[in-house]
Structures are given as C-alpha cells and as structure tokens.
C-alpha cells in the first residue's frame, strides 16, 4: 500500500505538478523501528512556482483543522493522521518528550496569520477558533495540527507533513538528513562468565564484545527482497573529473606493459581534455562552462567523447578540490566560470594575457579579490577537511 501511494504521490508532485511546476526532486525511504515505512521528499520548484509570499505558502500549506461541514474528508484525515501528540505534562512519556519538553515544540503558539521568520521559515497560521477535537481523551486545537496540504491529506488519507524551506541552510540540513543512512546500534553480546573477574583485572575483549548492528524490520526486509528503490532523484547528476595537465588518472591491469599503456591514445582523452576539444570544434559548445556542460552535452564513457544531448537534462558537478591542493583548487575555480575554454592556456588567459599559474589567472579575474577572501576560503577548506 505504501509503495502504491508513494508512486502516485511522486506522480502527483512531479508529473501533474499539483503543488507547482517542479524542476528537481529527491526522496529517501526510511523504516521506523516498528516497521512502518515513510519517505522524506525534497521538492525544488521552478522559479515562478516557488512559495515566496505568505499567500503562496497559505495556498500550499495548512496548519489548522479543516472545516468539518465543508471538508469532512480532510477533517477526518487530519483528525486521525495529522494531529501531534498528545504530549506535554499530561503525557510526559510520549515519544517526542525530552527532558519534560516536546522535541517538536508542540503545542505551537496560536498565530493569527502566516508570517516568515528571520531564518526564512514560515510560521503558519493557527487561529484560536475554539475548534477542538478529542485525541486519546485530550482536547486538541489548532496548536497541535501538523502542517499539511489539504488536497494531499484528503487524497491519500495518510500522514503527509508538508513544509516550506526558503533558506539554503535548511536545504543543506534536509539533504544531510535524507542521506544520513540507516539507524545503527552498537550491541554487546556477552554471557556472565565472560565478565569473570580474575584478581583485580576485568578481562574484556572489546572487539569481540561489540557488534556494529543494523536493525531491519520485516517490512524493510520485504521491501528489499522485492528490490524496491530506497531512494530516487532527478535530474541526473554527472560528476565531472578534471586534472592538471598530464595528471589524469590512468587505469591499467597489473600485467599490462607500461610503455604500451602510455602509448594508448585513449589515456589522454578525459572529460576535461575532450571538453577543450569539443570547444575547439563546436561553436555551440562554447557558451557553457565545464560544470554547465552536461546540461546540453552527454559524456560517452565508452568512446570518451562528448556528444550533443538529444533529450533530457543533467546537472554537472565538479569534484571538490581542497585549497591545499593548490593549483588544482584554482583550476576548479576557473572551470566553474570560464566558458568555452579550448585549452589549459586558454583557461589561464585573462584579457589577452596568459598567466603562468591558474592562481594568477584567478587573481587577474578578480576571483580572489584580496587576502581576506583567501583566508575565508582557507577556513572553508579546513571545515571541509575536518567535516
Ligand atoms: Zn510532542
């Protein structure tokens, strides 16, 4: 049932565009401990469909009890699936309770109208209407309603929490969340005699005693036996390899003759050198930077050649280079902003001057305006390295 509903929901979002025209999306499936599956879905809207204003948000998201008379079906679903809690003082042992407080900050405050807070998160309208309903013998009002889309709740009769995030940090957080991987536990298996104390010394083989375990419920096991996808995304992302002159990676077998390997013409053909070549030959190619290239050109892995894209769309992404990798770092910087380069020299050429290094070219282009910026980049790099 979950699989059927999810497929239809993704279809509603990305084919029928019922929330607005989407340009990218990703979802990841997770199984709760007791086995219930759920999906974390991130949707990216086309510029003209992004919910920027309070009206846009209100059209998409509701955080109040639907009207029982005019929208009975939605009311039923929200009453059954979209009410948080009850938690708080009367239910201190609720799963959301931590140190006497609800982790999800319920009950929320009454809110006469939707507003955007400083971080770009909307605070949804939850009016004090006096309208309540009984959940586990407790009367809950609009402060307990989990934000949802009325159409989706009504159609799927399921818990579908819909929220807006306008802030890049929120997007970053969500991506981390969807990719955080499986829940794991460190489990100790022992029998009493293992812990016998000999003299004053406790004999403990920590490696033997601890297992890094994954918990798989029956529904997750079934999902995997059927080989259903655990995640999906679109559009495709093409990871772009790049390298300093003659420093590309070369793959060969143990017993290959090194001279023969070096003589192979294919080893000098890489995504980057072929990008140069394509730019030399095709004027149409020259309007794009290296990282934009996969939007209109397709990399043929077998033939090691870029060909003009006939259908579809892909996003290019250059591998990250650490600042400490020096010239490689500056090469990447240039690749992300120079269009139609036909050679390494071309990349290093700014206003008809060919610079000796990629760094000098970056400086000449104003990409490294001053020392301050450089230090900032260094800081960022060290965050990357440590993170
Ligand atoms: Zn709670």
């Amino acid at each position: 049932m979950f699989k059927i509903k999810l497929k239809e929901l993704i279809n509603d979002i990305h084919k029928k565009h019922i929330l607005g025209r989407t340009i990218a999306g990703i979802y990841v499936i997770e199984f709760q401990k007791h086995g219930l599956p759920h999906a974390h879905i991130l949707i990216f809207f086309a510029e003209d469909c992004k919910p920027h204003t309070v009206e846009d948000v209100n059209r998409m998201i509701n955080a109040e009890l639907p009207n029982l008379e005019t929208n009975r079906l939605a009311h039923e679903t929200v009453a059954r699936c979209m009410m948080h809690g009850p938690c708080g003082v009367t239910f201190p042992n609720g799963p959301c309770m931590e140190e006497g407080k609800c982790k999800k900050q319920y009950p929320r405050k009454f809110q006469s109208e939707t507003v955007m807070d400083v971080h770009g998160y909307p605070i949804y309208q939850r009016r004090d209407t006096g309208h309540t309903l009984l959940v586990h013998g407790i009367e809950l009002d609009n402060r307990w309603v989990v934000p949802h889309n009325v159409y989706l709740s009504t159609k799927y009769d399921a818990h579908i929490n819909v929220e807006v995030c306008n802030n890049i940090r929120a997007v970053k957080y969500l991506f981390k969340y969807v990719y955080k991987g499986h829940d794991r536990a460190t489990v100790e298996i022992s029998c009493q005699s293992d812990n016998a104390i000999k003299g004053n010394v406790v004999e403990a083989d920590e490696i033997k005693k601890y297992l890094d375990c994954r918990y798989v419920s029956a529904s997750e096991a079934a999902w995997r036996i059927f080989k259903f996808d655990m995640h999906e995304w679109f559009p495709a992302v093409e990871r772009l390899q790049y390298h300093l002159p003659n420093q590309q990676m070369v793959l060969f077998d143990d017993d290959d003759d090194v001279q023969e390997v070096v003589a192979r013409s294919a080893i000098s053909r890489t995504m980057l050198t072929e990008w140069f070549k394509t730019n030399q030959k095709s004027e149409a190619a020259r309007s794009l930077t290296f990282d934009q290239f996969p939007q209109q050109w397709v990399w043929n892995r077998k033939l090691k050649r870029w060909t003009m894209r006939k259908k579809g769309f892909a996003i290019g992404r250059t591998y990250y280079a650490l600042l400490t990798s020096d010239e490689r770092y500056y090469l990447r910087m240039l690749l992300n902003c120079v269009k139609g380069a036909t050679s390494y020299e071309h990349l290093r050429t700014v206003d008809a001057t060919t610079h000796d290094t990629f760094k000098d070219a970056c400086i000449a282009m104003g990409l490294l305006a001053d020392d301050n910026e450089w230090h900032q980049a260094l800081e960022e790099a060290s965050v990357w390295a440590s993170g």
Side-chain angles (χ1 to χ4, degrees):
M1 183 52 72
F2 174 74
K3 168 98 170 127
I4 294 166
K5 284 192 179 184
L6 179 69
K7 194 176 166 204
E8 178 71 7
L9 175 61
I10 295 297
N11 195 50
D12 270 350
I13 293 170
H14 292 303
K15 294 261 160 61
K16 293 188 191 159
H17 293 149
I18 61 123
L19 295 174
R21 199 160 52 84
T22 59
I23 51 161
I26 168 181
Y27 73 77
V28 175
I29 293 166
E30 220 179 296
F31 291 83
Q32 284 161 345
K33 289 292 143 300
H34 51 278
L36 278 183
H38 61 276
H40 296 276
I41 304 170
L42 250 179
I43 307 161
F44 297 81
F45 290 105
E47 195 52 44
D48 58 334
C49 291
K50 283 181 182 169
H52 288 299
T53 66
V54 165
E55 289 72 33
D56 297 338
V57 173
N58 285 344
R59 221 174 298 127
M60 210 178 272
I61 295 163
N62 174 55
E64 294 182 331
L65 288 161
N67 189 304
L68 182 60
E69 266 79 52
T70 58
N71 207 346
R72 196 178 50 82
L73 277 179
H75 186 276
E76 266 174 25
T77 304
V78 170
R80 199 160 28 80
C81 305
M82 299 309 299
M83 299 304 284
H84 180 83
C87 63
V89 254
T90 33
F91 284 86
N93 298 325
C96 57
M97 295 295 285
E98 222 172 60
E99 289 169 10
K101 272 190 181 158
C102 170
K103 272 193 291 193
K104 310 224 160 152
Q105 292 109 41
Y106 282 93
R108 302 289 170 92
K109 287 195 187 84
F110 280 123
Q111 180 72 28
S112 59
E113 53 191 31
T114 303
V115 291
M116 298 289 191
D117 81 355
V118 282
H119 304 295
Y121 281 102
I123 304 171
Y124 306 105
Q125 171 178 288
R126 295 168 196 275
R127 287 166 296 184
D128 186 3
T129 54
H131 184 177
T132 62
L133 54 83
L134 225 52
V135 179
H136 296 295
I138 305 275
E139 265 194 294
L140 301 181
D141 53 32
N142 282 342
R143 291 172 302 171
W144 299 87
V145 177
V146 176
H148 59 275
N149 175 276
V150 174
Y151 173 82
L152 293 179
S153 294
T154 314
K155 174 167 176 179
Y156 291 96
D157 194 25
H159 177 93
I160 305 173
N161 175 204
V162 182
E163 308 236 14
V164 164
C165 54
N166 277 336
N167 182 294
I168 188 68
R169 287 175 71 173
V171 174
K172 227 173 141 179
Y173 169 79
L174 280 175
F175 255 96
K176 201 158 106 185
Y177 187 66
V178 292
Y179 283 120
K180 74 185 162 64
H182 294 279
D183 285 334
R184 284 151 165 267
T186 308
V187 179
E188 181 191 336
I189 302 167
S190 68
C191 52
Q192 221 109 45
S193 60
D194 282 355
N195 291 330
I197 298 168
K198 292 176 184 166
N200 279 335
V201 186
V202 180
E203 268 192 19
D205 181 344
E206 290 191 3
I207 295 164
K208 195 171 119 200
K209 273 167 58 178
Y210 289 91
L211 292 171
D212 191 17
C213 287
R214 245 186 77 198
Y215 175 91
V216 180
S217 65
S219 5
E220 181 173 358
W223 189 272
R224 285 177 179 278
I225 288 167
F226 286 128
K227 292 202 164 81
F228 293 156
D229 287 324
M230 292 301 283
H231 54 79
E232 246 179 274
W233 68 84
F234 89 94
V237 177
E238 178 77 80
R239 302 219 290 172
L240 298 167
Q241 277 166 338
Y242 57 95
H243 52 87
L244 293 169
N246 292 322
Q247 289 188 19
Q248 66 266 42
M249 189 153 53
V250 177
L251 294 175
F252 56 90
D253 287 327
D254 269 355
D255 49 2
D256 282 352
D257 176 59
V258 177
Q259 293 307 322
E260 191 261 327
V261 170
V262 174
R264 280 179 205 164
S265 67
I267 68 161
S268 63
R269 293 216 307 273
T270 68
M271 282 178 150
L272 181 59
T273 60
E274 288 306 298
W275 178 60
F276 291 147
K277 239 178 258 170
T278 311
N279 285 333
Q280 289 162 18
K281 281 185 266 176
S282 158
E283 206 184 318
R286 280 173 234 154
S287 62
L288 302 165
T289 61
F290 186 51
D291 70 315
Q292 290 166 343
F293 216 56
Q295 294 175 13
Q296 293 175 25
W297 295 75
V298 181
W299 176 246
N300 184 323
R301 257 159 245 284
K302 218 168 160 192
L303 297 175
K304 292 192 168 190
R305 192 179 294 156
W306 291 101
T307 51
M308 186 92 88
R309 183 177 285 282
K310 289 191 186 74
K311 60 177 171 67
F313 177 83
I315 290 173
R317 193 170 171 221
T318 48
Y319 282 88
Y320 190 75
L322 288 172
L323 186 56
T324 47
S325 65
D326 205 38
E327 278 290 273
R328 197 176 131 79
Y329 176 85
Y330 299 107
L331 167 65
R332 179 176 184 268
M333 201 177 255
L334 292 171
L335 287 173
N336 285 340
C337 59
V338 178
K339 289 177 179 170
T342 51
S343 64
Y344 285 108
E345 291 70 37
H346 185 163
L347 275 174
R348 289 200 305 263
T349 306
V350 185
D351 297 329
T353 308
T354 306
H355 296 271
D356 290 340
T357 65
F358 295 115
K359 184 181 178 181
D360 288 343
C362 284
I363 293 168
M365 281 183 74
L367 297 173
L368 301 164
D370 52 46
D371 262 9
N372 237 348
E373 209 168 311
W374 196 83
H375 282 293
Q376 218 174 326
L378 188 67
E379 234 166 70
E380 251 173 55
S382 64
V383 170
W384 264 88
S386 62

